[in-house]
Amino acid sequence: MPILFCDLDNTLIDRAAGYRAWAEHYVAALGRDPEEVEWLVSIDHDGMRAREPIFEEVRARWGIDAPVTELVERYRSEYPAFVPAVDPAVGRRLAGLRLGGWRVAIVTNGPPSQRVKVERCGLLPLVDVVVISDVVGVRKPDRRIFEAAAHLAGSGIEQAWLIGDSPEADIAAAVEMGIPGIWLRRGRAWTETRWRPHAVAESLEEALSLVPVGR
């Protein structure tokens, strides 16, 4: 049975929008200048930076006494509520793929709280499995995290496809596994010279439409 591996942040969900909304809330809650939102967004590095050094900077800049661990815990507790709900059109595409015989697996790097985002945005009923790196102990692009997802879904990687926005974590993994990888452009140009995606999509809905149904 074929399986579609989907990245979570900035692929299935608009993480950038969710993070900005959280930053606006956080800045207001602490009574900081609204212009500090842009600073919080800039040090996030599009979600690719660990949370601990980010909140070290927050403590130093704003003179916060609470320990970094407490600030990170608060962030991971609050942030999922700001993730936008899944687009209904995306939900229909995922449902159509599953009706067509596909398994759908979310494969994401990050802490266990990633699952809270999946639940809050309405994705959980639309997929078959959710695999998180900090839970299984291996991170993308390591193929073992995809093999774990396929095993849980009762599938294999031989007929798999992959959709993701990261050239390094997603498309590199697809190339290594020998499966089609669809890169979600998000307004960027492809600059990696060592490998290329099978296809490029401007939106998640377009990416999902490229996955063949009825294989």
Side-chain angles (χ1 to χ4, degrees):
M1 182 170 290
I3 183 168
L4 174 63
F5 300 125
C6 292
D7 173 50
L8 180 62
D9 290 316
N10 287 327
T11 298
L12 285 176
I13 63 173
D14 189 344
R15 183 202 174 274
Y19 181 82
R20 177 174 287 276
W22 166 82
E24 291 171 351
H25 158 80
Y26 191 59
V27 165
L30 295 183
R32 312 305 302 185
D33 189 317
E35 292 185 1
E36 292 288 81
V37 170
E38 296 306 321
W39 174 72
L40 269 181
V41 171
S42 70
I43 65 172
D44 175 59
H45 293 183
D46 202 25
M48 300 306 293
R49 191 177 179 206
R51 301 299 91 180
E52 287 77 10
I54 287 177
F55 284 98
E56 286 283 9
E57 290 192 39
V58 168
R59 287 181 78 244
R61 185 179 177 100
W62 294 350
I64 297 174
D65 293 329
V68 167
T69 52
E70 182 179 314
L71 298 180
V72 172
E73 183 178 348
R74 174 179 174 178
Y75 163 79
R76 288 180 172 158
S77 173
E78 292 180 345
Y79 162 63
F82 294 91
V83 175
V86 64
D87 187 328
V90 168
R92 289 191 292 271
R93 291 281 187 187
L94 291 172
L97 285 170
R98 295 172 80 196
L99 285 173
W102 285 79
R103 293 283 190 261
V104 178
I106 295 176
V107 183
T108 178
N109 288 341
S113 58
Q114 290 286 79
R115 188 176 180 89
V116 179
K117 290 193 286 187
V118 173
E119 295 170 350
R120 290 282 186 90
C121 73
L123 271 171
L124 195 58
L126 303 175
V127 302
D128 296 288
V129 298
V130 179
V131 175
I132 302 167
S133 65
D134 286 10
V135 175
V136 299
V138 61
R139 296 174 59 85
K140 297 187 296 183
D142 193 314
R143 68 182 291 146
R144 289 176 296 172
I145 192 171
F146 297 97
E147 290 171 341
H151 176 74
L152 288 171
S155 184
I157 65 171
E158 298 79 13
Q159 300 182 70
W161 281 54
L162 185 152
I163 298 175
D165 73 306
S166 170
E168 297 81 14
D170 299 314
I171 304 307
V175 171
E176 195 276 330
M177 289 186 288
I179 65 173
I182 303 172
W183 183 54
L184 202 57
R185 186 194 301 274
R186 296 179 58 223
R188 301 165 296 168
W190 182 269
T191 59
E192 179 56 64
T193 59
R194 293 169 293 175
W195 57 81
R196 297 193 64 80
H198 172 78
V200 176
E202 298 294 339
S203 69
L204 176 58
E205 190 176 359
E206 179 189 354
L208 291 169
S209 73
L210 297 175
V211 179
V213 180
R215 295 181 58 170

